[in-house]
Amino acid sequence: MSPIIDRLALIGVGLIGGSIARAAREYGAVRSIVATARSAATRKRVVELGIADRVVETNAEAVKDADLVIVCIPVGASGPVVAEIAAALKPGAIVSDVGSVKSAVLNDMAPHVPKGVHLIPAHPVAGTENSGPDSGFSELFVNRWCILTPPEGADKEAVEKLHAFWSALGANVEIMTAEHHDMVLAITSHLPHLIAYTIVGTAEEFSQVSRSEVLKFSAGGFRDFTRIAASDPTMWRDVFLHNKDAVLEMLAQFNEDLAKLTRAMRRGDGNALFDHFTRTRAIRRGIVQIGQDSAAPDFGRAHPAKATGTIPRPYSADNE
Ligand code: NAP
């Protein structure tokens, strides 16, 4: 089977870029991978890990002759990076990203993309709280959603190619507008992270309970928040700065709902509390039913093709 993409360029090799590199190779989705990262230390580590065919020093060098360029860096840095690579992009190439926010990224990237190059932003809804090239693993995207947000009038063939690429990595692909993506993720990801960051900070500042007690009794619920609140500070700073409007809208709604529960508690309205918790329990059961329940990284989940024994071998001239 021939690979979907001839040459893949990765700009940024952290958790997401490192996972794409491993998965693209393992599942035979690309013929070759050229990677680069901002720091010499990360580039050196990528060479040591051997997860790319070539590691180069500059972003412009990485995208030369690439058919698909995926920018895997914090969303605030995407615009300047695309401005930097614009002149080196091959006509007909696809430029994509993995940012957790889409409208701002689209607005920042689009003005720099030359005519004849296809900009198709994407967001794999998969991750862990770890960062850096060592934290990536090939099964990260298996059975997870990858949302593509092509701008209006985007090239159909380019969208199909990117769709096929993410499917080969094991992801389920969905297409929506950047604006809708940002609303959906504000409630399913960004607001939960904001709450986790808040509550872990509150526990730290609460002086009547000692830090060692907080750690000792964390299985009472706190532990799950600490995992989310350990997520990368740069990435999440950029998410809140770039999806501000949608998150603020969700936060206003959240504060109203919290006020309702607070009132019920103060009034001793057990029925209101019980009804609310019954509704939320049904949501949890729905998530379990559709197989999106695991908070742990998806180690051990089988790629669909792996489960059926039809996984393509990594590309080599012999198996084309
Ligand atoms: P990461 O592990 O911290 O890796 C970030 C990479 O970006 C590193 O290679 C880093 O290079 C590079 N970088 C950082 N700042 C840069 C800058 N100003 N200019 C150029 N390169 C820069 O991060 P990640 O978790 O892979 O996240 C990358 C993107 O994926 C983010 O946009 C995030 O929103 C999105 N995303 C993350 C998750 C998740 O759960 N983590 C899930 C879905 C999508 P150096 O190592 O050389 O500094």
Side-chain angles (χ1 to χ4, degrees):
M1 191 187 96
S2 55
I4 297 154
I5 301 292
D6 226 34
R7 181 177 295 195
L8 168 68
L10 292 172
I11 298 184
V13 191
L15 169 69
I16 301 296
S19 297
I20 293 175
R22 288 167 171 96
R25 191 181 261 180
E26 185 170 327
Y27 306 139
V30 298
R31 194 183 297 261
S32 70
I33 303 172
V34 182
T36 190
R38 178 179 54 167
S39 69
T42 299
R43 293 195 297 269
K44 180 168 172 280
R45 188 62 192 140
V46 177
V47 173
E48 286 163 2
L49 289 168
I51 54 178
D53 297 282
R54 230 156 41 87
V55 179
V56 296
E57 292 207 356
T58 67
N59 296 336
E61 206 182 333
V63 305
K64 198 168 164 272
D65 297 325
D67 304 285
L68 170 62
V69 175
I70 308 185
V71 179
C72 308
I73 64 178
V75 292
S78 304
V81 163
V82 175
E84 195 188 323
I85 61 174
L89 289 165
K90 172 168 122 173
I94 300 170
V95 173
S96 190
D97 75 319
V98 292
S100 311
V101 173
K102 297 272 61 100
S103 302
V105 165
L106 187 59
N107 291 340
D108 289 353
M109 289 168 89
H112 307 294
V113 175
K115 217 167 174 255
V117 170
H118 310 295
L119 173 63
I120 320 283
H123 176 206
V125 187
T128 74
E129 67 280 22
N130 301 318
S131 309
D134 285 275
S135 62
F137 55 100
S138 64
E139 302 209 311
L140 178 63
F141 311 111
V142 174
N143 293 333
R144 293 305 191 203
W145 287 100
C146 181
I147 301 173
L148 309 188
T149 61
E152 229 183 290
D155 183 76
K156 212 169 146 254
E157 238 175 77
V159 176
E160 278 166 12
K161 211 165 207 188
L162 193 63
H163 190 306
F165 173 80
W166 278 105
S167 300
L169 269 49
N172 305 314
V173 179
E174 182 132 336
I175 296 178
M176 60 180 75
T177 64
E179 293 74 22
H180 190 66
H181 166 279
D182 289 352
M183 286 303 272
V184 173
L185 269 292
I187 188 65
T188 56
S189 170
H190 305 169
L191 185 59
H193 274 78
L194 192 66
I195 293 167
Y197 280 124
T198 311
I199 198 166
V200 174
T202 304
E204 170 76 13
E205 281 156 29
F206 190 59
S207 58
Q208 280 152 284
V209 175
S210 72
R211 184 178 238 243
S212 63
E213 282 174 311
V214 169
L215 298 178
K216 189 165 147 192
F217 300 114
S218 65
F222 187 70
R223 186 176 55 193
D224 294 344
F225 285 110
T226 60
R227 187 187 61 78
I228 298 176
S231 300
D232 185 67
T234 308
M235 169 186 158
W236 283 97
R237 176 203 62 196
D238 281 14
V239 167
F240 292 120
L241 292 178
H242 290 83
N243 198 21
K244 189 170 70 178
D245 293 343
V247 178
L248 288 177
E249 195 175 325
M250 294 301 164
L251 191 58
Q253 171 78 45
F254 174 80
N255 283 332
E256 280 178 29
D257 294 342
L258 186 63
K260 272 188 225 156
L261 282 183
T262 311
R263 216 166 30 244
M265 224 163 51
R266 192 180 299 120
R267 289 180 182 157
D269 186 349
N271 287 341
L273 295 175
F274 185 86
D275 288 350
H276 187 90
F277 301 158
T278 305
R279 278 209 319 273
T280 56
R281 184 180 231 192
I283 291 176
R284 167 71 193 171
R285 288 186 171 157
I287 290 173
V288 173
Q289 259 167 24
I290 59 167
Q292 297 288 320
D293 56 307
S294 175
D298 281 350
F299 293 112
R301 274 184 197 240
H303 184 289
K306 239 184 199 173
T308 55
T310 55
I311 190 89
R313 276 181 294 152
Y315 176 77
S316 94
D318 302 337
N319 65 15
E320 191 165 26

